[in-house]
Amino acid sequence: MITSAQNERVKYVRSLARRQVRQREGRFVVEGTRLLDELARAGIRPALVFFTEAWAETLAGQRLLPIVRDASEGAWPVSEAVMAACASTQTPQGVLAVAPVVNLNPKPGLLLILDGIRDPGNLGTILRSAESAGVGQVLLAPGTVDLYNPKVVRGAMGAHLRLPVFGHDWPAISERAEGRAVWLADAAAGTAYDAVDWTQPSALIVGGEAAGAGQEATRLAKGGVSIPMTGGAESLNAAMAATVILFEAARQRRLASLEESP
């Protein structure tokens, strides 16, 4: 059992809390039984796993131990103190894994562009919603929080393993969006989100929580879409607004698919 925070493997896992190390290594940390399950479902072999004896004795631990022991660089029981030192959560679940960054090919469907989303919880939620709504690919514009930030990973609930996500500058984003109707989520826009024909090749830009979308996003968009609201609230946060619009696009595409079926 590893009991010292000075252990070299422990130091390596802790180093992955830094963005530059994650980028250099092409790896990130996933925490908890649920995300370890997601790795198994995606057929992704972890590089390294730490687990506590208490976790190994749970039903989930017993079920996942064969996967844990298949880690390419070993699976190691660790003390509760070491787990706490490595985990980014205040109450660790007793297991974490170092996983490789997954490179996925773009899929057909809606293109989602995120401009300056700085809150990691919001980005994680948006990615989870995007995967659930059948988004084909997500582009992260400059100024957006790191895709593999631990809070983003937790919030996305495994979307990193299935949803194609790419970081690009604005010239590359414009190239990816070519041939699509590009709409900018804007609370002040005159076009309602459910008045847009999302069955056509389309892209949606969602701006950051505080400053909103930047000039490059505004120039790229053909128009803005808003979510009509009643009551006293003026707008939704970025994650909620993105979710509402994405599922409207999914609804339209699903109905169109049913109409085309014989």
Side-chain angles (χ1 to χ4, degrees):
M1 175 182 289
I2 297 175
T3 59
S4 171
Q6 300 307 309
N7 179 278
E8 290 304 314
R9 293 183 180 88
V10 174
K11 289 181 179 179
Y12 178 69
V13 171
R14 296 182 70 180
S15 75
L16 291 170
R18 300 194 298 273
R19 180 175 186 166
Q20 63 268 32
V21 176
R22 293 194 295 268
Q23 291 176 335
R24 184 189 72 219
E25 296 292 309
R27 291 174 169 180
F28 65 108
V29 176
V30 300
E31 296 181 37
T33 300
R34 172 67 182 272
L35 287 177
L36 195 63
D37 248 332
E38 296 290 351
L39 282 178
R41 288 175 54 197
I44 296 171
R45 186 185 187 191
L48 179 69
V49 179
F50 284 172
F51 62 93
T52 64
E53 288 185 333
W55 177 84
E57 292 172 357
T58 64
L59 290 176
Q62 291 295 313
R63 176 173 54 83
L64 289 169
L65 273 177
I67 295 167
V68 166
R69 290 176 175 141
D70 190 46
S72 61
E73 295 173 19
W76 302 88
V78 299
S79 66
E80 298 284 353
V82 167
M83 180 61 66
C86 292
S88 63
T89 53
Q90 290 187 347
T91 309
Q93 293 184 31
V95 65
L96 60 78
V98 174
V101 168
V102 181
N103 297 311
L104 302 170
N105 294 322
K107 302 174 184 177
L110 184 71
L111 170 63
L112 176 62
I113 301 167
L114 303 178
D115 180 23
I117 303 292
R118 292 182 173 85
D119 182 274
N122 275 349
L123 179 56
T125 299
I126 292 172
L127 294 177
R128 187 178 180 185
S129 295
E131 188 209 351
S132 299
V135 167
Q137 58 179 306
V138 179
L139 304 183
L140 305 182
T144 298
V145 66
D146 178 35
L147 176 62
Y148 294 99
N149 176 290
K151 289 184 179 180
V152 177
V153 174
R154 290 199 302 273
M157 297 298 285
H160 289 73
L161 310 176
R162 298 178 293 270
L163 179 66
V165 184
F166 309 93
H168 283 307
D169 58 19
W170 280 104
I173 290 172
S174 298
E175 185 177 341
R176 290 269 187 133
E178 190 172 349
R180 298 173 182 261
V182 181
W183 295 93
L184 172 63
D186 180 357
T191 302
Y193 75 106
D194 54 358
V196 173
D197 183 0
W198 296 105
T199 65
Q200 300 301 311
S202 308
L204 172 66
I205 303 175
V206 177
E209 302 83 359
Q215 294 181 352
E216 294 90 346
T218 303
R219 282 196 292 264
L220 182 60
K222 66 168 283 185
V225 293
S226 61
I227 301 171
M229 301 180 66
T230 59
E234 294 182 357
S235 64
L236 302 173
N237 73 14
M240 183 64 74
T243 298
V244 169
I245 299 172
L246 292 177
F247 275 91
E248 169 60 18
R251 183 191 70 83
Q252 291 187 20
R253 290 170 180 256
R254 184 173 63 253
L255 290 178
S257 177
L258 291 173
E259 290 172 359
E260 292 172 0
S261 300

